[in-house]
């Protein structure tokens, strides 16, 4: 009895892979042996496998059962050792899933998929941005990076990475080179705009440093507090900027002078008004100038808002379009597909 307990303690201390291999060996042993011992009762290996599995899982349907002493001894062996090993395998499997779930919740599991969006920094703005992203693109995948103990956003398409985003290893754990975009939110807990943008700049520098080191471009979007700080971010090749406080102040001022201005911005940013949204396309081959693109898009039911960073299309209507130009248009989703196919 003491020997049995000692042996069982050794089994319990085995890792998951060892238990799995041992379980496969026991199942194989039972399947082959019972077929050899009683070929008439178990004419095929599958019959032997069926009896072995029902025995090990204590189901015991009774449709197959050994009739010889040797076969019944094998059955007793499977009762004593096999059932315990299979139970241990099930227990180890459940523990593995529980451990994986806990590590994922704590942000300690590396993200290995591609074509995702990385959001750095957690606040209500981040939550709203993720929800808006899912409204526009329900299949989108997000990796959230923040130095918190557990994930602040429970969603099957949001993967949490715990750590300092200014450290290279944290960014690599988020699979930064497989991401479509990297969005850096300003720290809402810092009130001073210089310190707030300084922290954002540090993170953006870490992202761009990885981009240069591995020679892989990373499209970076940052939230900044003051427009005068943009020049500092341009030194590290940040692609897009979103002004937080100054944008709100200016919009309120514009709406004060010209009532209804805020409604226009809400229409542009929210698809729930009429189903339209801002999209980015490249020029079709038949569009030679800005004017060509403007008129053709108008005929198709879309509005050309800007070409690259140029909003005043009429002023530059004769400028030639380049294949690399980005055209920002406002239209419905189904209209976008028609435009892109050139129909």
């Amino acid at each position: 009895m003491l020997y049995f307990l000692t042996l069982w303690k050794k089994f319990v201390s085995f890792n998951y892979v060892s238990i799995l291999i041992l379980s496969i060996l026991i199942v194989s042993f039972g399947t082959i042996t019972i077929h050899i011992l009683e070929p008439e009762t178990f004419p095929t290996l599958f019959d032997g496998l069926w009896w072995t599995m029902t025995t090990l899982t204590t189901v015991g349907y009774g449709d197959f059962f050994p009739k010889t002493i040797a076969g019944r001894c094998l059955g007793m062996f499977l009762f004593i050792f096999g059932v315990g090993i299979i139970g241990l395998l099930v227990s180890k499997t459940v523990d593995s899933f529980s451990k994986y779930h806990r590590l994922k919740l704590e942000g300690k599991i590396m993200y290995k998929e591609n074509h995702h969006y990385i959001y750095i920094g957690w606040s209500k703005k981040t939550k709203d941005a993720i929800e808006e992203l899912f409204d526009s693109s329900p299949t989108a995948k997000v990796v959230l990076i923040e130095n918190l103990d557990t994930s602040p956003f429970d969603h099957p398409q949001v993967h949490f990475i715990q750590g300092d985003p200014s450290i290279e290893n944290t960014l690599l754990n988020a699979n930064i080179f497989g991401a479509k975009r990297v969005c850096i939110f300003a720290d809402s807990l810092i009130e001073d705009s210089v310190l707030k943008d300084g922290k954002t700049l540090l993170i953006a520098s870490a992202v761009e440093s990885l981009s240069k080191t591995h020679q892989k471009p990373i499209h970076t979007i940052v939230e900044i507090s003051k427009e005068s700080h943009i020049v500092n971010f341009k030194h590290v090749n940040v692609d897009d900027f979103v002004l937080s406080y100054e944008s709100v102040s200016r919009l309120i001022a514009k709406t004060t002078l010209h009532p209804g201005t805020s409604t226009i911005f809400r229409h542009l940013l929210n698809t729930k008004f009429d189903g339209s949204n801002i999209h980015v396309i490249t020029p079709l081959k038949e569009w030679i100038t800005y004017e060509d693109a403007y008129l053709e898009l108008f005929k198709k039911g879309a509005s050309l808002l800007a070409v690259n960073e140029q909003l005043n299309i009429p002023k530059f209507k004769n400028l030639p379009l380049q294949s690399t130009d980005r055209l920002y248009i406002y239209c419905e989703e189904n209209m976008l597909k028609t435009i892109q196919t050139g129909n």
Side-chain angles (χ1 to χ4, degrees):
M1 184 66 178
L2 182 62
Y3 175 77
F4 178 79
L5 291 176
T6 303
L7 182 62
W8 182 251
K9 286 181 180 179
K10 289 184 178 180
F11 284 151
V12 172
S13 64
F14 285 176
N15 59 33
Y16 179 78
V17 176
S18 299
I19 295 294
L20 179 61
I21 294 173
L22 187 58
S23 299
I24 293 173
L25 290 175
I26 288 179
V27 171
S28 301
F29 172 74
T31 300
I32 297 171
T33 305
I34 196 63
H35 173 64
I36 294 173
L37 292 176
E38 300 190 22
E40 293 183 0
T41 308
F42 302 92
T44 67
L45 286 174
F46 182 79
D47 293 330
L49 175 63
W50 172 256
W51 172 77
T52 301
M53 292 303 298
T54 56
T55 301
L56 290 174
T57 56
T58 68
V59 175
Y61 284 109
D63 51 351
F64 288 95
F65 57 89
K67 299 177 181 179
T68 65
I69 294 177
R72 291 176 179 178
C73 288
L74 175 63
M76 288 188 289
F77 170 81
L78 295 177
F79 289 149
I80 296 173
F81 291 97
V83 171
I85 295 298
I86 295 298
L88 190 58
L89 175 64
V90 173
S91 175
K92 291 278 187 180
T93 302
V94 173
D95 287 344
S96 297
F97 278 113
S98 299
K99 182 178 180 181
Y100 176 82
H101 179 72
R102 177 176 57 80
L103 291 176
K104 185 177 180 181
L105 189 65
E106 294 174 355
K108 297 177 181 178
I109 300 293
M110 179 183 292
Y111 190 76
K112 296 182 179 181
E113 296 184 38
N114 295 311
H115 308 297
H116 56 288
Y117 300 95
I118 295 178
Y119 280 13
I120 299 176
W122 176 253
S123 66
K124 187 180 184 301
K125 286 181 289 186
T126 313
K127 180 177 180 292
D128 292 342
I130 294 175
E131 291 175 347
E132 179 66 26
L133 175 65
F134 288 152
D135 283 342
S136 301
S137 180
T139 59
K141 295 174 291 185
V142 174
V143 174
L144 174 64
I145 301 178
E146 182 56 278
N147 205 3
L148 297 173
D149 293 333
T150 58
S151 174
F153 195 94
D154 186 16
H155 192 282
Q157 291 165 227
V158 176
H159 186 94
F160 176 58
I161 294 293
Q162 190 274 339
D164 184 349
S166 64
I167 296 177
E168 179 179 305
N169 192 55
T170 303
L171 297 173
L172 293 176
N173 284 339
N175 190 16
I176 192 169
F177 296 119
K180 289 183 177 180
R181 311 277 190 278
V182 176
C183 307
I184 306 172
F185 289 84
D187 192 333
S188 59
L189 299 179
I190 301 176
E191 295 184 2
D192 187 279
S193 61
V194 175
L195 296 177
K196 186 190 294 283
D197 288 347
K199 180 179 179 180
T200 306
L201 180 59
L202 178 64
I203 298 171
S205 299
V207 172
E208 295 303 325
S209 175
L210 274 175
S211 177
K212 290 180 180 178
T213 302
H214 295 265
Q215 296 182 344
K216 293 184 178 180
I218 301 172
H219 190 104
T220 311
I221 306 162
V222 299
E223 176 195 2
I224 59 175
S225 302
K226 298 191 69 175
E227 188 172 9
S228 59
H229 294 162
I230 288 180
V231 63
N232 298 314
F233 286 89
K234 285 187 174 180
H235 288 312
V236 293
N237 299 318
V238 169
D239 299 280
D240 288 304
F241 307 92
V242 177
L243 287 168
S244 50
Y245 300 122
E246 289 189 7
S247 295
V248 175
S249 300
R250 290 177 182 178
L251 182 56
I252 291 176
K254 291 289 185 183
T255 307
T256 304
L257 296 172
H258 308 289
T261 303
S262 62
T263 304
I264 296 174
F265 278 89
R266 284 190 290 115
H267 272 271
L268 287 172
L269 297 174
N270 196 333
T271 60
K272 296 178 181 178
F273 283 100
D274 60 1
S276 298
N277 203 352
I278 298 176
H279 303 281
V280 182
I281 64 172
T282 53
L284 298 182
K285 292 181 179 180
E286 57 266 30
W287 298 347
I288 307 303
T289 64
Y290 283 25
E291 184 178 21
D292 293 336
Y294 183 90
L295 294 175
E296 288 299 317
L297 286 167
F298 182 81
K299 291 177 183 178
K300 294 178 182 292
S303 300
L304 178 59
L305 302 177
V307 178
N308 299 324
E309 297 180 1
Q310 184 54 252
L311 289 169
N312 196 346
I313 305 301
K315 182 179 179 181
F316 302 97
K317 63 181 182 180
N318 294 322
L319 278 181
L321 286 168
Q322 306 297 324
S323 60
T324 56
D325 285 338
R326 292 178 298 173
L327 277 61
Y328 296 87
I329 65 174
Y330 186 74
C331 66
E332 296 179 357
E333 192 73 31
N334 58 348
M335 184 59 65
L336 174 66
K337 296 178 181 178
T338 302
I339 294 170
Q340 290 177 323
T341 55
N343 297 328

